[in-house]
Amino acid sequence: MSIDKILSKVEKAAKKAGRNKDDVKVIAISKVQPLERIKRVLNRGHRIFGENRIQDSLNKWPSLIEKYGKIELHLVGALQTNKVKEAVRFFNVIHSIDREKLVFKLEVEAQKLGSCPELFIQVNTGNELQKAGVALENLEDLFSLAKERYSLPVVGLMCLPPIEDSPLIHFEKLSRLNKGLGLSRISMGMSSDFEDAIKAGSTDVRIGSALFGPRG
Ligand SMILES: *Cc1c(COP(=O)(O)O)cnc(C)c1O
């Protein structure tokens, strides 16, 4: 599906939910996609992209930025503490903050750099054993460490619903948690469920395969 088609679906879903389309950011998730497909989206004027691996992004994006100008880059994948230094320098937004060790390291690197990407705290809303994201019972502590103690720019919460559940339940749960913490942005919704996510208040939808076609 073209980026124009996606944007028009997003606009329709926003309107249906009584929301403004400008309050929903579409992040084109370009991980493992061939360059021609990425350029096709860039050529339509889209400038917001997401990746899940730092090394791939460092290989791919500098030359595209040189050619196309400023791109807003989001990191949506797991972040290891030994990659924080690069992540803070390269990305505008990080969606996968889920543990104290990461917050400590971010604080150090942001101090050194004098700036910090916008941050989402990833929440394991399904309490899945193997899944990334902070457990529900640890969310408040992690939030207060990042936002209150270190004044890091936490803008919202993020989730990836368990595949076997209806995503809307998780989106609504995340939306309540987000409000409870007084946060204004929410990162939720992917190719198969972004319309439900918008209905539940998502401000940052992460769309990969519906836009670029299947990966690899
Ligand atoms: C890959 C990925 C996406 C995009 O998934 P699609 O189903 O292809 O839209 C969104 N969010 C995260 C965290 C991802 O890893």
Side-chain angles (χ1 to χ4, degrees):
M1 214 183 297
S2 69
I3 183 69
D4 305 79
K5 188 81 200 280
I6 297 274
L7 292 172
S8 104
K9 279 179 177 275
V10 164
E11 179 172 358
K12 228 176 259 167
K15 196 177 265 177
K16 202 168 154 194
R19 304 182 53 208
N20 188 328
K21 72 170 166 50
D22 297 333
D23 295 334
V24 185
K25 186 179 280 205
V26 174
I27 307 163
I29 305 296
S30 50
K31 62 184 185 196
V32 268
Q33 294 288 355
L35 271 182
E36 317 85 75
R37 293 186 186 172
I38 297 174
K39 286 181 179 166
R40 201 165 65 210
V41 175
L42 282 162
N43 285 332
R44 296 299 304 162
H46 197 72
R47 290 294 181 270
I48 308 168
F49 288 80
E51 292 282 343
N52 70 338
R53 285 173 196 272
I54 293 176
Q55 197 51 53
D56 286 351
S57 310
L58 291 171
N59 293 341
K60 197 184 328 180
W61 283 99
S63 61
L64 289 170
I65 290 168
E66 204 163 289
K67 175 154 186 228
Y68 289 90
K70 203 174 147 20
I71 314 273
E72 181 177 307
L73 281 177
H74 293 241
L75 178 66
V76 299
L79 177 57
Q80 293 166 311
T81 46
N82 63 358
K83 296 280 172 61
V84 167
K85 184 176 180 175
E86 281 164 309
V88 163
R89 282 164 177 74
F90 198 69
F91 290 95
N92 302 99
V93 187
I94 299 175
H95 291 242
S96 46
I97 306 307
D98 64 356
R99 57 198 190 279
E100 289 193 346
K101 259 175 97 174
L102 263 183
V103 172
F104 294 138
K105 188 78 182 166
L106 271 163
E107 146 70 10
V108 170
E109 294 302 333
Q111 282 286 350
K112 277 195 226 162
L113 191 64
S115 71
C116 185
E118 292 182 322
L119 306 174
F120 284 94
I121 293 179
Q122 184 172 351
V123 185
N124 185 353
T125 54
N127 273 321
E128 294 174 281
L129 227 45
Q130 313 265 335
K131 186 85 155 237
V134 63
L136 287 169
E137 66 265 29
N138 298 328
L139 171 60
E140 263 191 58
D141 283 351
L142 186 64
F143 174 75
S144 72
L145 180 72
K147 180 90 178 186
E148 281 147 26
R149 176 140 166 233
Y150 289 139
S151 305
L152 292 172
V154 177
V155 296
L157 303 180
M158 177 271 212
C159 78
L160 264 170
I163 33 178
E164 68 276 11
D165 285 7
S166 146
L168 190 56
I169 294 166
H170 294 271
F171 295 156
E172 285 171 343
K173 187 192 259 184
L174 195 70
S175 190
R176 281 194 300 275
L177 293 167
N178 219 67
K179 279 202 191 95
L181 295 174
L183 293 165
S184 58
R185 300 227 333 247
I186 317 183
S187 168
M188 56 189 189
M190 320 203 314
S191 289
S192 56
D193 54 22
F194 66 89
E195 283 148 322
D196 272 348
I198 290 168
K199 183 173 163 190
S202 178
T203 62
D204 289 66
V205 293
R206 311 179 308 263
I207 301 181
S209 45
L211 171 59
F212 293 104
R215 283 182 286 273

Coordinates of all heavy atoms in Angstrom, one line a residue, residues 18-78:
G18 N -13.2 11.0 16.2 CA -13.4 12.3 16.7 C -12.1 13.0 17.0 O -12.0 13.9 17.8
R19 N -11.0 12.6 16.3 CA -9.7 13.1 16.6 C -9.1 13.8 15.3 O -9.6 13.6 14.2 CB -8.7 12.0 17.0 CG -9.2 11.2 18.2 CD -8.2 10.1 18.6 NE -6.9 10.7 18.8 CZ -5.7 10.1 18.6 NH1 -5.7 8.8 18.3 NH2 -4.6 10.7 18.8
N20 N -8.1 14.6 15.5 CA -7.5 15.3 14.4 C -6.4 14.5 13.8 O -5.5 13.9 14.6 CB -6.9 16.6 15.0 CG -6.4 17.6 13.9 OD1 -5.9 17.1 12.9 ND2 -6.5 18.8 14.1
K21 N -6.3 14.4 12.5 CA -5.3 13.5 11.9 C -3.9 14.0 12.2 O -2.9 13.2 12.2 CB -5.5 13.5 10.4 CG -5.1 14.8 9.6 CD -5.1 14.6 8.1 CE -5.1 15.8 7.3 NZ -4.1 16.9 7.7
D22 N -3.7 15.3 12.5 CA -2.4 15.8 12.8 C -1.9 15.4 14.1 O -0.7 15.6 14.5 CB -2.4 17.4 12.7 CG -2.7 17.9 11.3 OD1 -2.5 17.1 10.4 OD2 -3.3 19.0 11.2
D23 N -2.8 14.8 14.9 CA -2.3 14.2 16.2 C -1.9 12.8 16.2 O -1.6 12.2 17.2 CB -3.5 14.4 17.3 CG -3.8 15.9 17.5 OD1 -2.9 16.7 17.4 OD2 -4.9 16.2 17.9
V24 N -1.9 12.2 14.9 CA -1.4 10.9 14.8 C -0.2 10.9 13.8 O -0.3 11.2 12.6 CB -2.5 9.9 14.2 CG1 -2.0 8.5 14.2 CG2 -3.8 10.0 15.1
K25 N 0.9 10.5 14.4 CA 2.2 10.4 13.6 C 2.3 9.0 13.0 O 2.2 8.0 13.7 CB 3.3 10.7 14.5 CG 4.7 10.9 13.9 CD 5.7 11.2 14.9 CE 5.7 12.7 15.3 NZ 7.0 13.2 15.8
V26 N 2.6 9.0 11.7 CA 2.8 7.7 11.0 C 4.3 7.4 10.9 O 5.0 8.1 10.2 CB 2.2 7.6 9.6 CG1 2.5 6.3 8.9 CG2 0.6 7.8 9.8
I27 N 4.8 6.4 11.6 CA 6.2 6.0 11.5 C 6.4 4.9 10.6 O 5.8 3.8 10.8 CB 6.7 5.6 12.9 CG1 6.4 6.7 14.0 CG2 8.2 5.4 12.9 CD1 6.5 6.3 15.4
A28 N 7.1 5.1 9.5 CA 7.3 4.1 8.5 C 8.4 3.1 9.0 O 9.6 3.5 9.0 CB 7.6 4.7 7.1
I29 N 8.0 1.9 9.3 CA 9.0 1.0 9.9 C 9.8 0.2 8.8 O 9.2 -0.7 8.2 CB 8.4 0.0 10.9 CG1 7.6 0.7 12.0 CG2 9.4 -1.0 11.5 CD1 8.4 1.5 12.9
S30 N 11.0 0.7 8.5 CA 11.7 0.3 7.3 C 12.7 -0.8 7.6 O 13.5 -1.1 6.7 CB 12.4 1.5 6.7 OG 13.1 2.2 7.6
K31 N 12.7 -1.4 8.7 CA 13.7 -2.5 9.1 C 13.7 -3.6 8.0 O 12.6 -4.0 7.5 CB 13.3 -3.1 10.4 CG 12.0 -3.7 10.5 CD 11.6 -4.2 11.9 CE 10.3 -5.0 11.9 NZ 9.7 -5.2 13.2
V32 N 14.9 -4.0 7.7 CA 15.1 -5.1 6.6 C 14.4 -4.9 5.3 O 14.3 -5.8 4.5 CB 14.8 -6.5 7.1 CG1 16.0 -7.2 7.7 CG2 13.7 -6.6 8.1
Q33 N 14.0 -3.7 5.0 CA 13.4 -3.5 3.7 C 14.4 -3.0 2.6 O 15.4 -2.3 3.0 CB 12.3 -2.4 3.8 CG 11.1 -2.7 4.6 CD 10.2 -3.8 4.0 OE1 10.4 -4.1 2.8 NE2 9.2 -4.2 4.7
P34 N 14.3 -3.4 1.4 CA 15.2 -3.0 0.4 C 15.2 -1.5 0.2 O 14.1 -0.9 0.3 CB 14.8 -3.7 -0.9 CG 13.6 -4.6 -0.5 CD 13.2 -4.3 0.9
L35 N 16.3 -0.9 -0.2 CA 16.4 0.5 -0.4 C 15.4 1.1 -1.4 O 14.9 2.2 -1.2 CB 17.8 0.9 -0.9 CG 18.9 1.1 0.2 CD1 20.2 1.5 -0.4 CD2 18.4 2.2 1.2
E36 N 15.1 0.4 -2.5 CA 14.2 0.9 -3.5 C 12.8 1.2 -2.8 O 12.2 2.2 -3.1 CB 13.9 0.0 -4.7 CG 15.1 -0.7 -5.2 CD 15.3 -2.0 -4.5 OE1 14.6 -3.0 -4.6 OE2 16.3 -2.0 -3.7
R37 N 12.4 0.3 -1.9 CA 11.1 0.5 -1.3 C 11.1 1.8 -0.4 O 10.1 2.5 -0.3 CB 10.7 -0.7 -0.5 CG 10.4 -1.9 -1.3 CD 9.9 -3.1 -0.5 NE 9.7 -4.3 -1.2 CZ 9.5 -5.5 -0.6 NH1 9.3 -5.5 0.7 NH2 9.3 -6.5 -1.4
I38 N 12.2 1.9 0.3 CA 12.4 3.1 1.2 C 12.4 4.4 0.4 O 11.7 5.3 0.8 CB 13.6 2.9 2.1 CG1 13.5 1.7 2.9 CG2 13.9 4.2 2.9 CD1 14.8 1.3 3.7
K39 N 13.1 4.3 -0.7 CA 13.2 5.5 -1.5 C 11.8 5.9 -2.1 O 11.5 7.1 -2.3 CB 14.2 5.3 -2.7 CG 15.6 5.4 -2.1 CD 16.6 5.2 -3.3 CE 18.1 5.3 -2.7 NZ 19.1 4.8 -3.7
R40 N 11.0 4.9 -2.4 CA 9.7 5.2 -3.0 C 8.9 6.0 -2.0 O 8.2 6.9 -2.3 CB 9.0 3.9 -3.2 CG 7.9 3.9 -4.2 CD 7.5 2.5 -4.7 NE 6.9 1.8 -3.6 CZ 7.0 0.4 -3.5 NH1 7.6 -0.3 -4.4 NH2 6.5 -0.2 -2.5
V41 N 9.0 5.7 -0.7 CA 8.3 6.4 0.4 C 8.9 7.8 0.6 O 8.2 8.8 0.7 CB 8.3 5.6 1.7 CG1 7.6 6.4 2.8 CG2 7.5 4.3 1.4
L42 N 10.2 7.9 0.5 CA 10.9 9.2 0.7 C 10.5 10.1 -0.5 O 10.3 11.3 -0.3 CB 12.4 9.0 0.7 CG 13.0 8.5 2.0 CD1 14.4 7.9 1.8 CD2 13.1 9.6 3.0
N43 N 10.4 9.5 -1.7 CA 10.1 10.3 -2.9 C 8.6 10.9 -2.8 O 8.3 11.8 -3.5 CB 10.3 9.5 -4.2 CG 11.7 9.4 -4.5 OD1 12.5 10.2 -4.2 ND2 12.1 8.3 -5.2
R44 N 7.8 10.2 -2.0 CA 6.4 10.8 -1.8 C 6.4 11.9 -0.7 O 5.4 12.4 -0.4 CB 5.4 9.7 -1.4 CG 5.2 8.6 -2.4 CD 4.6 9.2 -3.7 NE 3.4 9.9 -3.5 CZ 2.8 10.8 -4.3 NH1 3.4 11.0 -5.5 NH2 1.7 11.4 -4.0
G45 N 7.6 12.1 -0.1 CA 7.7 13.3 0.8 C 7.6 12.8 2.3 O 7.7 13.7 3.1
H46 N 7.5 11.5 2.5 CA 7.4 11.1 3.9 C 8.8 11.2 4.6 O 9.8 10.9 3.9 CB 6.9 9.7 4.0 CG 6.4 9.4 5.4 ND1 5.3 9.9 6.0 CD2 6.9 8.6 6.4 CE1 5.1 9.4 7.2 NE2 6.1 8.6 7.5
R47 N 8.9 11.7 5.8 CA 10.2 11.9 6.5 C 10.3 11.3 7.9 O 11.2 11.7 8.7 CB 10.5 13.4 6.5 CG 10.8 14.0 5.2 CD 12.1 13.5 4.6 NE 12.4 14.1 3.3 CZ 12.0 13.6 2.1 NH1 11.2 12.5 2.1 NH2 12.3 14.2 1.0
I48 N 9.4 10.4 8.2 CA 9.4 9.8 9.6 C 9.5 8.3 9.4 O 8.6 7.6 8.9 CB 8.1 10.2 10.4 CG1 7.8 11.7 10.4 CG2 8.2 9.6 11.8 CD1 6.5 12.0 10.9
F49 N 10.7 7.8 9.9 CA 11.0 6.4 9.7 C 11.4 5.7 11.0 O 11.8 6.4 12.0 CB 12.1 6.2 8.7 CG 11.6 6.5 7.3 CD1 11.5 7.8 6.8 CD2 11.3 5.4 6.4 CE1 11.1 8.0 5.5 CE2 10.8 5.7 5.1 CZ 10.7 7.0 4.7
G50 N 11.2 4.4 11.1 CA 11.6 3.7 12.3 C 12.4 2.4 11.9 O 12.2 1.8 10.9
E51 N 13.3 2.1 12.8 CA 14.2 0.9 12.6 C 14.3 0.2 13.9 O 14.0 0.7 15.0 CB 15.6 1.4 12.2 CG 15.7 2.0 10.8 CD 15.7 1.0 9.7 OE1 16.0 -0.2 10.0 OE2 15.4 1.4 8.6
N52 N 14.7 -1.1 13.9 CA 14.8 -1.9 15.1 C 16.3 -2.3 15.5 O 16.5 -2.8 16.5 CB 13.9 -3.1 15.1 CG 14.4 -4.2 14.2 OD1 15.1 -3.9 13.2 ND2 13.9 -5.4 14.4
R53 N 17.2 -2.0 14.6 CA 18.6 -2.3 14.9 C 19.5 -1.1 14.6 O 19.4 -0.5 13.5 CB 19.1 -3.5 14.0 CG 18.6 -4.8 14.5 CD 19.0 -5.9 13.5 NE 18.2 -7.0 13.7 CZ 18.5 -8.0 14.6 NH1 19.6 -7.9 15.3 NH2 17.7 -9.1 14.7
I54 N 20.4 -0.8 15.6 CA 21.2 0.4 15.5 C 22.2 0.2 14.3 O 22.4 1.2 13.5 CB 21.9 0.6 16.8 CG1 20.8 1.0 17.8 CG2 22.9 1.7 16.7 CD1 21.3 1.2 19.2
Q55 N 22.9 -0.9 14.2 CA 23.9 -1.1 13.2 C 23.3 -0.9 11.8 O 23.9 -0.2 10.9 CB 24.7 -2.4 13.4 CG 26.0 -2.4 12.6 CD 26.9 -1.2 12.9 OE1 27.1 -0.9 14.1 NE2 27.3 -0.4 11.9
D56 N 22.2 -1.6 11.5 CA 21.5 -1.4 10.2 C 21.2 0.0 9.9 O 21.4 0.5 8.8 CB 20.2 -2.2 10.2 CG 20.3 -3.7 10.2 OD1 21.5 -4.1 9.9 OD2 19.3 -4.4 10.3
S57 N 20.8 0.7 10.9 CA 20.4 2.2 10.7 C 21.6 3.0 10.4 O 21.6 3.9 9.5 CB 19.7 2.7 12.0 OG 18.7 1.9 12.4
L58 N 22.7 2.7 11.1 CA 24.0 3.5 10.8 C 24.5 3.2 9.4 O 25.1 4.0 8.8 CB 25.0 3.1 11.9 CG 24.8 3.6 13.3 CD1 25.8 2.9 14.3 CD2 24.8 5.1 13.4
N59 N 24.2 2.0 8.9 CA 24.7 1.6 7.6 C 23.8 2.3 6.5 O 24.3 2.7 5.5 CB 24.6 0.1 7.3 CG 25.6 -0.6 8.2 OD1 26.6 0.0 8.7 ND2 25.4 -1.9 8.4
K60 N 22.5 2.4 6.8 CA 21.6 2.7 5.8 C 21.3 4.2 5.7 O 21.2 4.8 4.6 CB 20.3 2.0 6.2 CG 19.3 1.9 5.1 CD 17.9 1.3 5.5 CE 17.9 0.2 6.5 NZ 16.5 -0.3 6.7
W61 N 21.1 4.9 6.9 CA 20.5 6.2 6.9 C 21.4 7.4 6.6 O 20.9 8.4 6.0 CB 19.6 6.4 8.2 CG 18.3 5.7 8.0 CD1 18.0 4.5 8.6 CD2 17.2 6.1 7.3 NE1 16.8 4.1 8.2 CE2 16.2 5.1 7.4 CE3 16.9 7.2 6.5 CZ2 15.0 5.1 6.7 CZ3 15.7 7.3 5.8 CH2 14.7 6.2 6.0
P62 N 22.6 7.4 7.0 CA 23.4 8.6 6.7 C 23.4 9.0 5.2 O 23.3 10.2 4.9 CB 24.8 8.2 7.2 CG 24.5 7.3 8.4 CD 23.4 6.5 7.9
S63 N 23.5 8.1 4.3 CA 23.6 8.4 2.9 C 22.2 8.9 2.4 O 22.1 9.8 1.5 CB 24.1 7.3 2.0 OG 23.3 6.2 2.2
L64 N 21.1 8.3 3.0 CA 19.8 8.7 2.6 C 19.5 10.1 3.1 O 18.9 11.0 2.4 CB 18.7 7.8 3.2 CG 18.7 6.4 2.5 CD1 17.8 5.4 3.3 CD2 18.2 6.5 1.1
I65 N 20.0 10.4 4.3 CA 19.8 11.8 4.9 C 20.6 12.8 4.0 O 20.1 13.9 3.8 CB 20.3 11.8 6.4 CG1 19.3 11.0 7.2 CG2 20.4 13.2 6.9 CD1 19.8 10.7 8.6
E66 N 21.8 12.4 3.6 CA 22.5 13.3 2.7 C 21.7 13.6 1.5 O 21.7 14.8 1.0 CB 23.8 12.6 2.3 CG 24.9 13.6 1.9 CD 26.3 12.9 2.0 OE1 26.7 12.6 3.1 OE2 26.8 12.6 0.9
K67 N 21.1 12.6 0.9 CA 20.3 12.8 -0.3 C 19.0 13.5 -0.1 O 18.6 14.4 -0.9 CB 20.1 11.5 -1.0 CG 19.3 11.5 -2.2 CD 19.6 10.4 -3.2 CE 18.8 10.6 -4.5 NZ 18.1 9.5 -5.0
Y68 N 18.2 13.1 0.9 CA 16.9 13.6 1.1 C 16.7 14.7 2.1 O 15.6 15.2 2.3 CB 16.0 12.4 1.4 CG 15.7 11.4 0.3 CD1 16.6 10.4 0.1 CD2 14.7 11.7 -0.6 CE1 16.4 9.5 -1.0 CE2 14.5 10.8 -1.7 CZ 15.4 9.7 -1.9 OH 15.2 8.9 -2.9
G69 N 17.7 15.0 2.9 CA 17.6 16.0 3.9 C 17.1 15.4 5.2 O 17.2 14.2 5.4
K70 N 16.7 16.2 6.1 CA 16.4 15.8 7.5 C 15.3 14.7 7.6 O 14.3 14.8 6.9 CB 15.9 17.0 8.3 CG 16.1 16.9 9.8 CD 15.8 18.2 10.5 CE 15.2 18.1 11.8 NZ 15.4 16.8 12.5
I71 N 15.6 13.7 8.3 CA 14.6 12.6 8.5 C 14.5 12.4 10.0 O 15.4 12.5 10.8 CB 15.2 11.2 8.0 CG1 15.8 11.3 6.6 CG2 14.1 10.1 8.1 CD1 14.9 11.2 5.5
E72 N 13.2 12.2 10.5 CA 13.0 11.9 11.9 C 13.1 10.4 12.1 O 12.3 9.7 11.5 CB 11.6 12.5 12.3 CG 11.3 12.2 13.7 CD 9.9 12.8 14.1 OE1 9.7 14.0 13.8 OE2 9.1 12.1 14.6
L73 N 14.1 10.0 12.9 CA 14.3 8.5 13.0 C 13.9 8.0 14.4 O 14.3 8.6 15.4 CB 15.8 8.2 12.7 CG 16.3 8.2 11.3 CD1 17.8 7.9 11.2 CD2 15.5 7.1 10.5
H74 N 13.2 6.9 14.4 CA 12.7 6.3 15.6 C 13.3 4.9 15.8 O 13.4 4.2 14.8 CB 11.2 6.1 15.6 CG 10.4 7.4 15.5 ND1 9.5 7.7 16.5 CD2 10.4 8.4 14.6 CE1 8.9 8.9 16.2 NE2 9.5 9.4 15.1
L75 N 13.8 4.6 17.0 CA 14.2 3.3 17.3 C 13.1 2.5 18.0 O 12.7 3.0 19.1 CB 15.5 3.3 18.2 CG 16.0 2.0 18.6 CD1 16.6 1.2 17.4 CD2 17.1 2.1 19.7
V76 N 12.6 1.4 17.4 CA 11.5 0.7 18.0 C 11.9 -0.6 18.6 O 11.1 -1.3 19.1 CB 10.3 0.5 17.0 CG1 9.8 1.9 16.5 CG2 10.8 -0.3 15.8
G77 N 13.2 -1.0 18.4 CA 13.6 -2.4 18.8 C 14.3 -2.4 20.2 O 14.5 -1.3 20.7
A78 N 14.6 -3.6 20.6 CA 15.3 -3.7 21.9 C 16.6 -2.9 21.9 O 17.3 -2.9 20.9 CB 15.5 -5.2 22.2

